[in-house]
Amino acid sequence: MTISGIKPLSLATGVAIIAGGTIGISSAQATQFNFQFSFNDQATGTPVSGNFIFDDSIEPIVTPNGSLYSNASQSFRISVGDEVFAGLSNSIVVANDFQMPPAPTLFDVIIFDDLADFNPQNPANNTFLGLFIYPADTLPSEDLPSTLRQTAFATITTPTGVTLVGEEAFTSVTAVPEPTTIFGLLVVGALGVTSVVKKTLFK
């Protein structure tokens, strides 16, 4: 997906304004989702992949420009070639029908970041850990996405400050199985193995 006339940094600068006024909101019991991505950096060809785990129960702070889900993403993992970065506690910003002049096109945007160094008075210096841009009307307007379009324009900024760009990044969202579900599958599997053993030994 080509974003005509928009530089990744200038777009991130515009989206940064949405995230002003961060406050903490506690999470309730809910489903966790795994946001996965992969692409080759357009400048170097380096393979980039990773994921963000997020909780869909966080109530958003809604602004005219988008919604902020404070600390909704509990963890992330980013692989850049052979280098791996991992961390905790990211907030999520979702913007629908976002426009970044001078381009007239509208976009939907989702960003993952800890916002630790966010400064609304100087948005030009704000960088996002993960920024994903989709065509308008791709992301839900009131909830975090449980399904996604497969391709996005993506920028990933590593904790070391390196920014990588993918024009056609693969993205997907899948539900994370709850521990009870995993335990249930293990029990069913164990029962199946026991049944086979009994039939084999005592036939």
Side-chain angles (χ1 to χ4, degrees):
M1 175 171 53
T2 301
I3 309 300
S4 174
I6 298 180
K7 295 181 180 179
L9 182 57
S10 66
L11 182 59
T13 299
V15 177
I17 299 170
I18 298 168
T22 305
I23 63 174
I25 299 178
S26 61
S27 169
Q29 184 68 31
T31 304
Q32 287 191 332
F33 289 91
N34 187 11
F35 182 109
Q36 296 175 287
F37 62 89
S38 62
F39 61 87
N40 290 330
D41 177 49
Q42 66 179 18
T44 64
T46 304
V48 183
S49 63
N51 71 299
F52 296 90
I53 301 295
F54 68 86
D55 181 342
D56 74 343
S57 72
I58 303 297
E59 292 295 326
I61 302 166
V62 180
T63 76
N65 296 318
S67 299
L68 169 66
Y69 298 82
S70 182
N71 296 321
S73 175
Q74 291 88 356
S75 63
F76 73 86
R77 182 180 176 87
I78 297 171
S79 297
V80 181
D82 295 329
E83 198 168 11
V84 177
F85 304 93
L88 306 171
S89 298
N90 294 279
S91 293
I92 303 174
V93 172
V94 177
N96 301 104
D97 296 337
F98 183 81
Q99 184 178 12
M100 184 64 194
T105 310
L106 297 177
F107 306 107
D108 284 359
V109 178
I110 182 168
I111 61 175
F112 296 83
D113 195 70
D114 60 12
L115 303 181
D117 300 317
F118 177 78
N119 180 2
Q121 304 304 317
N122 190 14
N125 289 334
N126 296 316
T127 57
F128 296 109
L129 189 67
L131 183 150
F132 302 87
I133 305 167
Y134 299 90
D137 302 320
T138 298
L139 301 175
S141 59
E142 297 181 358
D143 299 303
L144 288 169
S146 57
T147 59
L148 271 184
R149 175 187 170 97
Q150 283 196 337
T151 57
F153 180 90
T155 68
I156 294 293
T157 301
T158 69
T160 57
V162 176
T163 297
L164 306 117
V165 177
E167 292 247 352
E168 293 284 342
F170 168 80
T171 60
S172 68
V173 169
T174 54
V176 177
E178 297 180 8
T180 52
T181 304
I182 296 173
F183 178 73
L185 291 173
L186 290 174
V187 169
V188 171
L191 290 174
V193 171
T194 302
S195 176
V196 171
V197 171
K198 284 183 178 179
K199 288 179 180 178
T200 303
L201 295 179
F202 302 106
K203 64 180 181 178

XYZ file of all heavy atoms in Angstrom, residues 30-75:
351
model
N -10.872 -10.258 30.357
C -11.317 -10.199 28.966
C -10.427 -11.056 28.102
O -9.496 -11.701 28.591
C -11.303 -8.772 28.475
N -10.720 -11.032 26.810
C -9.954 -11.809 25.857
C -8.656 -11.104 25.504
O -8.621 -9.889 25.357
C -10.781 -12.021 24.572
O -12.023 -12.625 24.907
C -10.038 -12.900 23.581
N -7.591 -11.879 25.365
C -6.334 -11.341 24.869
C -6.189 -11.697 23.394
O -6.624 -12.754 22.945
C -5.157 -11.905 25.661
C -5.030 -11.348 27.064
C -3.711 -11.737 27.701
O -3.135 -12.769 27.380
N -3.235 -10.910 28.608
N -5.576 -10.771 22.649
C -5.365 -10.973 21.224
C -3.884 -10.805 20.896
O -3.154 -10.087 21.574
C -6.192 -9.977 20.407
C -7.671 -10.255 20.439
C -8.473 -9.672 21.397
C -8.254 -11.112 19.515
C -9.832 -9.926 21.448
C -9.612 -11.375 19.550
C -10.406 -10.779 20.509
N -3.479 -11.478 19.829
C -2.096 -11.442 19.374
C -2.050 -10.723 18.025
O -2.527 -11.239 17.019
C -1.547 -12.861 19.243
C -0.060 -12.883 18.929
O 0.616 -11.868 19.011
N 0.445 -14.049 18.558
N -1.505 -9.511 18.017
C -1.321 -8.725 16.788
C 0.054 -9.070 16.231
O 1.071 -8.778 16.863
C -1.423 -7.231 17.119
C -1.288 -6.308 15.932
C -2.392 -5.620 15.452
C -0.065 -6.103 15.313
C -2.274 -4.751 14.370
C 0.064 -5.247 14.227
C -1.050 -4.572 13.759
N 0.096 -9.697 15.065
C 1.359 -10.122 14.467
C 1.647 -9.332 13.198
O 0.721 -8.913 12.491
C 1.318 -11.612 14.144
C 1.173 -12.504 15.376
C 1.002 -13.963 15.003
O -0.044 -14.374 14.520
N 2.050 -14.740 15.222
N 2.927 -9.151 12.889
C 3.308 -8.411 11.691
C 4.624 -8.952 11.143
O 5.425 -9.535 11.873
C 3.470 -6.908 12.001
C 4.559 -6.615 13.000
C 5.866 -6.387 12.585
C 4.295 -6.593 14.358
C 6.882 -6.135 13.506
C 5.297 -6.341 15.288
C 6.592 -6.114 14.851
N 4.854 -8.744 9.860
C 6.130 -9.105 9.238
C 6.284 -8.341 7.926
O 5.311 -8.094 7.217
C 6.222 -10.614 8.983
O 5.207 -11.034 8.093
N 7.518 -7.949 7.636
C 7.839 -7.271 6.382
C 9.348 -7.225 6.225
O 10.094 -7.523 7.163
C 7.248 -5.845 6.344
C 7.755 -4.917 7.426
C 8.919 -4.157 7.258
C 7.070 -4.789 8.629
C 9.369 -3.304 8.243
C 7.511 -3.933 9.626
C 8.665 -3.186 9.433
N 9.800 -6.839 5.051
C 11.218 -6.561 4.808
C 11.388 -5.050 4.748
O 10.658 -4.367 4.016
C 11.696 -7.201 3.503
C 11.761 -8.710 3.598
O 11.994 -9.270 4.669
N 11.532 -9.387 2.484
N 12.335 -4.517 5.520
C 12.566 -3.073 5.537
C 12.868 -2.580 4.126
O 13.710 -3.142 3.429
C 13.737 -2.753 6.469
C 14.079 -1.276 6.474
O 13.157 -0.460 6.621
O 15.271 -0.950 6.321
N 12.145 -1.538 3.702
C 12.274 -1.088 2.313
C 13.638 -0.486 2.006
O 14.057 -0.451 0.845
C 11.170 -0.086 1.978
C 11.244 1.232 2.731
C 10.125 2.187 2.332
O 9.123 1.763 1.748
N 10.275 3.455 2.642
N 14.374 -0.013 3.016
C 15.682 0.586 2.772
C 16.807 -0.444 2.725
O 17.721 -0.346 1.905
C 15.992 1.627 3.846
N 16.737 -1.454 3.590
C 17.853 -2.400 3.729
C 17.499 -3.828 3.334
O 18.397 -4.653 3.167
C 18.341 -2.424 5.192
O 17.279 -2.928 6.029
C 18.734 -1.025 5.657
N 16.198 -4.133 3.242
C 15.786 -5.504 2.955
C 15.805 -6.417 4.162
O 15.513 -7.612 4.053
N 16.145 -5.890 5.327
C 16.218 -6.700 6.548
C 14.838 -7.217 6.930
O 13.874 -6.445 6.968
C 16.762 -5.856 7.724
O 18.040 -5.315 7.354
C 16.898 -6.703 8.977
N 14.712 -8.526 7.220
C 13.416 -9.045 7.648
C 13.047 -8.541 9.047
O 13.872 -8.548 9.959
C 13.607 -10.566 7.638
C 15.084 -10.777 7.732
C 15.725 -9.590 7.079
N 11.816 -8.077 9.183
C 11.307 -7.554 10.444
C 10.001 -8.286 10.760
O 9.141 -8.422 9.892
C 11.025 -6.037 10.358
C 10.556 -5.495 11.706
C 12.248 -5.287 9.866
N 9.870 -8.768 11.984
C 8.636 -9.449 12.377
C 8.447 -9.309 13.882
O 9.355 -8.883 14.601
C 8.685 -10.937 11.995
O 9.733 -11.599 12.693
N 7.271 -9.667 14.347
C 7.025 -9.600 15.777
C 5.557 -9.615 16.106
O 4.715 -9.924 15.252
N 5.251 -9.277 17.358
C 3.861 -9.283 17.772
C 3.649 -8.388 18.985
O 4.590 -8.083 19.730
C 3.401 -10.710 18.089
C 4.021 -11.255 19.359
O 5.241 -11.383 19.458
N 3.192 -11.568 20.340
N 2.401 -7.984 19.165
C 1.948 -7.251 20.352
C 0.760 -8.016 20.930
O -0.189 -8.321 20.209
C 1.502 -5.828 19.994
C 2.595 -4.949 19.460
C 2.856 -4.888 18.095
C 3.359 -4.166 20.318
C 3.864 -4.071 17.591
C 4.371 -3.349 19.820
C 4.618 -3.308 18.460
N 0.826 -8.356 22.208
C -0.311 -8.968 22.894
C -1.142 -7.847 23.502
O -0.606 -6.975 24.185
C 0.147 -9.931 24.005
C 1.023 -11.043 23.411
C -1.058 -10.528 24.732
C 0.323 -11.963 22.452
N -2.465 -7.861 23.264
C -3.291 -6.805 23.856
C -4.578 -7.360 24.450
O -5.041 -8.442 24.086
C -3.582 -5.680 22.853
C -4.488 -6.056 21.698
C -5.874 -5.990 21.826
C -3.960 -6.429 20.475
C -6.710 -6.309 20.758
C -4.779 -6.749 19.407
C -6.160 -6.690 19.544
N -5.132 -6.604 25.373
C -6.328 -6.969 26.136
C -7.475 -6.097 25.653
O -7.389 -4.868 25.676
C -6.031 -6.709 27.619
C -7.180 -7.062 28.546
O -8.325 -7.183 28.068
O -6.931 -7.196 29.756
N -8.580 -6.713 25.212
C -9.672 -5.935 24.626
C -10.647 -5.357 25.653
O -11.652 -4.751 25.288
C -10.448 -6.777 23.608
C -11.342 -7.823 24.264
O -11.135 -8.136 25.456
O -12.260 -8.332 23.582
N -10.347 -5.521 26.951
C -11.277 -5.026 27.972
C -10.986 -3.588 28.395
O -11.766 -2.995 29.138
C -11.222 -5.921 29.210
O -10.002 -5.718 29.905
N -9.864 -3.029 27.959
C -9.505 -1.673 28.375
C -10.489 -0.659 27.804
O -10.753 -0.639 26.604
C -8.076 -1.326 27.911
C -7.071 -2.345 28.442
C -7.699 0.094 28.334
C -6.969 -2.395 29.934
N -11.037 0.188 28.671
C -11.942 1.243 28.214
C -11.117 2.393 27.628
O -10.146 2.843 28.237
C -12.797 1.756 29.369
C -13.802 0.731 29.888
C -14.844 0.376 28.846
O -15.226 1.266 28.049
O -15.281 -0.787 28.815
N -11.494 2.892 26.451
C -10.675 3.930 25.817
C -10.942 5.324 26.361
O -12.004 5.606 26.911
C -11.108 3.842 24.351
C -12.546 3.415 24.428
C -12.622 2.463 25.601
N -9.947 6.180 26.197
C -10.121 7.620 26.346
C -10.400 8.130 24.941
O -9.538 8.075 24.069
C -8.859 8.280 26.916
C -8.500 7.659 28.263
C -9.042 9.786 27.048
C -7.104 8.003 28.723
N -11.612 8.586 24.692
C -12.027 8.978 23.347
C -11.791 10.468 23.143
O -12.170 11.287 23.979
C -13.510 8.640 23.113
C -13.943 9.047 21.708
C -13.751 7.143 23.318
N -11.141 10.810 22.037
C -10.905 12.202 21.663
C -11.499 12.417 20.274
O -11.850 11.446 19.590
C -9.404 12.530 21.630
O -8.834 11.976 20.435
C -8.683 11.969 22.849
N -11.619 13.649 19.811
C -12.133 13.878 18.463
C -11.282 13.233 17.369
O -11.771 12.964 16.275
C -12.112 15.412 18.342
C -12.201 15.903 19.740
C -11.430 14.913 20.557
N -10.015 12.968 17.665
C -9.112 12.419 16.648
C -8.868 10.923 16.764
O -8.229 10.336 15.897
C -7.763 13.142 16.720
C -7.877 14.604 16.375
O -8.580 14.961 15.440
N -7.222 15.454 17.136
N -9.327 10.306 17.836
C -9.072 8.884 17.999
C -9.278 8.428 19.420
O -9.746 9.196 20.269
N -8.946 7.165 19.693
C -9.150 6.578 21.023
C -7.826 6.059 21.569
O -7.049 5.417 20.860
C -10.153 5.420 20.939
O -11.406 5.876 20.469
N -7.593 6.325 22.841
C -6.394 5.862 23.530
C -6.768 4.763 24.513
O -7.630 4.949 25.366
C -5.727 7.010 24.280
C -4.613 6.624 25.263
C -3.419 6.029 24.520
C -4.184 7.820 26.100
N -6.123 3.586 24.373
C -6.309 2.465 25.284
C -5.039 2.360 26.129
O -4.024 1.827 25.689
C -6.552 1.175 24.502
C -7.797 1.211 23.645
C -7.788 1.814 22.394
C -8.989 0.635 24.093
C -8.937 1.846 21.604
C -10.127 0.659 23.302
C -10.095 1.268 22.067
O -11.232 1.298 21.288
N -5.098 2.887 27.341
C -3.909 2.987 28.169
C -3.478 1.614 28.683
O -4.264 0.884 29.283
C -4.187 3.921 29.353
O -3.045 4.090 30.153
N -2.207 1.259 28.431
C -1.620 -0.011 28.890
C -2.423 -1.232 28.442
O -2.497 -2.231 29.159
C -1.483 -0.014 30.417
C -0.526 1.048 30.900
O 0.508 1.291 30.287
N -0.872 1.709 31.996
N -3.010 -1.164 27.254
C -3.803 -2.292 26.760
C -2.936 -3.418 26.203
O -3.376 -4.556 26.138
C -4.781 -1.817 25.685
N -1.707 -3.096 25.800
C -0.816 -4.114 25.239
C 0.211 -4.513 26.287
O 1.105 -3.729 26.622
C -0.115 -3.574 23.985
O 0.829 -4.505 23.501
N 0.082 -5.733 26.806
C 0.923 -6.156 27.926
C 2.355 -6.454 27.525
O 3.267 -6.341 28.333
C 0.320 -7.395 28.599
C -0.970 -7.150 29.349
C -2.198 -7.272 28.471
O -2.085 -7.475 27.270
N -3.368 -7.142 29.057
N 2.581 -6.865 26.283
C 3.937 -7.251 25.913
C 4.131 -7.152 24.407
O 3.170 -7.166 23.640
C 4.249 -8.677 26.370
O 3.396 -9.607 25.713
